Amino acid sequence: STIIRRLSNPSQVDELAHNRWIDMWNAGIAPGELFDVASTSPLLLDLIKKNLVPKGRALVPGCGRGYDVTSLATKDRYVLG
């Protein structure tokens, strides 16, 4: 794929091409299984609670089910994940 060709580090190419990711997603991952913690990051929740997250736009790459996205989103903050 184009992404694999753009990477220069051979270990990154091997990781992206590995079937285990495809197999995991095809098998289905329930909330709380494997790397899905089924909640917003505790650090992010603390920052939000202390009003330390700026208003405006935010990007949450690799957001999975979007726990962090929904916690960040407000009328004053547009979040894409």
Side-chain angles (χ1 to χ4, degrees), residues 11-69:
S11 66
Q12 288 175 322
V13 173
D14 292 343
E15 184 62 27
L16 288 174
H18 204 289
N19 286 334
R20 76 170 173 261
W21 295 109
I22 296 167
D23 294 343
M24 252 192 295
W25 286 112
N26 286 340
I29 299 172
E33 279 189 335
L34 301 171
F35 49 83
D36 183 316
V37 296
S39 64
T40 302
S41 162
L43 176 61
L44 181 58
L45 284 175
D46 189 52
L47 293 172
I48 293 169
K49 180 181 171 184
K50 293 176 179 173
N51 202 28
L52 295 174
V53 180
K55 296 174 183 165
R57 295 175 180 231
L59 172 65
V60 183
C63 66
R65 290 191 168 91
Y67 307 117
D68 291 349
V69 173

